[in-house]
Amino acid sequence: MNGHSTVPKSIPTQPHNSANRLNGLPILPTEDVPITEVPVTSPTTTIKNPWEVVKQSPLDDRLDKLDGKIPRQRDQKMCRHGPKGMCDYCMPLEPYAPEYLAEKKIKHLSFHSYLRKINSATNKPELKSSYMPPLSEPYYRVKRDCPSGHPQWPEGICTKCQPSAITLQAQQFRMVDHVEFASPDIINSLLDFWRMSGSQRLGFLYGRYVEYTEVPLGVKAVVEAIYEPPQMNDADGVTLHEWENEAGVDEVARMCGLQKVGVIFTDLLDAGAGDGSVVCKRHIDSYYLSSLEIAFAARLQAQNPKPTKWSDTGRFGSNFVTCVLSGDEDGGIAVSAFQASNSAVEMIRADIVEPSADPSVMLVRAEEEDDGSPSRTRYIPEVFYRRINEYGASVQENAKPSFPVEYLLVTLTHGFPTEPSAIFNTSAFPIENRDLIGESQEFRSVATQLGVGSHSAEQGVRSASDFHLLCFLHESSILSKDEEALLCRVATTHDLADGFQLLETPGWATLLAILQSSGERPPKRPSPFSFAAPGASSADEEQLAKRFRGARLR
């Protein structure tokens, strides 16, 4: 994850020469396939009238209805009209006005501002021409079903089906403008794993997208929880294992009004000063996101496309974000937020580029296999990038064999709210997949979370507001779908009436019986979610818990 790859347990026979590969290990011809599968519906397949059939998010529909104009006050020096008049010096600016972006130091246009900009150039109502969707995703693969009638590639190819040359430029817009963490505790819980083990950690961000008023027509991702999937952790990286309950976690998030919005991982190394400072590895003279991490982010963005009615294919880019926890120049731990550009996503999907051992550059793959035979799994077009030379002129360079990763990156801003209002009140429940540091989820932990030291109804409702607790109860399959939905509503809205309603459900009564058999007594009737056992001794509770420790419900 942090510029390193995992070494396989065994090296297959008859390998290819792979001196330029990231890990320096042999790669079989059978492994020489695109990183992501080609979708069933080709990206070149256009949708007729996508504005009528594509269903966008409610946020996109709301932003589409806004004009996005930036109001300006009357200029006392230049305006010569009355208070009700308007001229070029005081008329509202378009959301993509370069002078406003430069004044506010906004590096990238928001997606909807970019959409207004290109739509004004693509569709001109005064010409009375037919409407055309202004957005089109890049496509760098050989087009299937070529109308020229020749055999399919690799047996045949022509100018109509082969991709054009690629000229990389910095992407001028970003799909998400800002990442906001609802509470600092969300970050601290992830950092606790590194503090206790010294190993890196990865988690998926769950939250929602809302309007970001600091940028014209902006969008921000509000992170409410981090779920840590099964993984193997090392001091220099992370290896992800198969995430079997991903659909279940997504379902819990949906019932809480959330969705998967991104991924976050640590890249930390203690400075050894004894004061908690860390080494600054990512800076202007090294890199901010390695080539391997860009490839990882691009794959995730390809798996989470953004539906939009303004694209001829019904989708464009992705709102999925990538965050890194690493050391800053002052020795502290800082958050950085990025997205891979749309060109990066398509180049990874088309298997044109691959990560390098040098984290600051990306490699362009060879057109032939290592034995000199033509590749039958990928077509490599010409790749160029533009840069400013030592004379200040913009020149075009050949991207082969490698080029800087900055051309594939889009930076986002990040921060915390001035007045935190996270929907989950607590994160005391043990976090999943942390056996490495001796932290495990058990039914005894559920009873402890919901009842220790509290007998008030309000405190009981607050103790149930934990995303990790909700995911654990979902995996236990004790509650029905309706009961789970009610529990998620209680956890996010903190409504006492819904809490008492949940106490009357049969699934909750079953959960009480299981908690009682695990060594905890059921709560008093008037206190929802309180499972303390005031009269039980700690020795009795421990003995009963040991007898139930090996039990799991599936």
Side-chain angles (χ1 to χ4, degrees), residues 12 19 53 65 67 82 105 123 168 179 221 272 347 371 374 383 386 399-400 407 419 442 454 464 474 536 549:
V53 298
K65 298 176 182 178
D67 60 9
K105 298 182 179 179
N123 299 290
L168 296 174
V179 179
M347 293 179 79
D371 59 359
V383 183
R386 302 198 69 87
K400 296 180 180 179
Y407 289 89
E419 298 180 0
E442 301 175 345
S454 172
H474 176 81
R549 180 164 298 176

Side-chain angles (χ1 to χ4, degrees), residues 13-145:
T13 58
Q14 297 180 352
H16 279 187
N17 181 19
S18 55
N20 294 329
R21 298 300 167 83
L22 177 69
N23 54 12
L25 294 177
I27 295 180
L28 284 179
T30 54
E31 297 176 351
D32 191 16
V33 295
I35 292 180
T36 55
E37 297 181 358
V38 178
V40 178
T41 303
S42 173
T44 58
T45 303
T46 59
I47 300 176
K48 184 179 180 181
N49 299 338
W51 54 89
E52 296 178 356
V53 298
V54 176
K55 184 178 180 181
Q56 298 185 136
S57 67
L59 175 62
D60 287 330
D61 289 334
R62 185 166 65 253
L63 291 175
D64 285 343
K65 298 176 182 178
L66 301 178
D67 60 9
K69 300 283 187 176
I70 304 170
R72 292 192 293 176
Q73 298 295 328
R74 184 173 180 268
D75 194 316
Q76 299 297 330
K77 294 182 179 180
M78 306 302 297
C79 295
R80 299 289 184 263
H81 51 76
K84 295 185 178 181
M86 185 179 296
C87 66
D88 291 342
Y89 297 101
C90 61
M91 65 183 300
L93 295 174
E94 294 290 343
Y96 48 83
E99 58 269 27
Y100 178 82
L101 299 179
E103 177 187 355
K104 298 297 183 180
K105 298 182 179 179
I106 300 174
K107 186 177 180 180
H108 299 279
L109 288 172
S110 67
F111 167 70
H112 284 270
S113 296
Y114 173 75
L115 178 60
R116 304 294 171 86
K117 180 180 180 180
I118 63 171
N119 190 42
S120 62
T122 305
N123 299 290
K124 299 182 182 297
E126 62 272 12
L127 299 180
K128 298 182 179 179
S129 58
S130 59
Y131 178 80
M132 296 175 56
L135 298 176
S136 180
E137 282 198 310
Y139 189 72
Y140 303 149
R141 286 163 282 171
V142 178
K143 297 179 181 178
R144 299 293 181 180
D145 303 323

Side-chain angles (χ1 to χ4, degrees), residues 155-177:
E155 281 73 22
I157 194 171
C158 68
T159 56
K160 293 182 179 179
C161 59
Q162 72 177 15
S164 303
I166 304 170
T167 300
L168 296 174
Q169 294 180 343
Q171 185 169 290
Q172 59 178 310
F173 66 93
R174 53 192 177 191
M175 307 300 295
V176 175
D177 302 279

Side-chain angles (χ1 to χ4, degrees), residues 22 34 112 324 431 522 531:
L22 177 69
H112 284 270
V324 185
I431 297 176
F531 293 91

Side-chain angles (χ1 to χ4, degrees), residues 382-405:
E382 293 293 327
V383 183
F384 304 95
Y385 68 95
R386 302 198 69 87
R387 68 176 183 87
I388 304 298
N389 64 7
E390 61 272 18
Y391 303 105
S394 177
V395 295
Q396 181 171 283
E397 298 280 352
N398 194 330
K400 296 180 180 179
S402 64
F403 62 93
V405 296

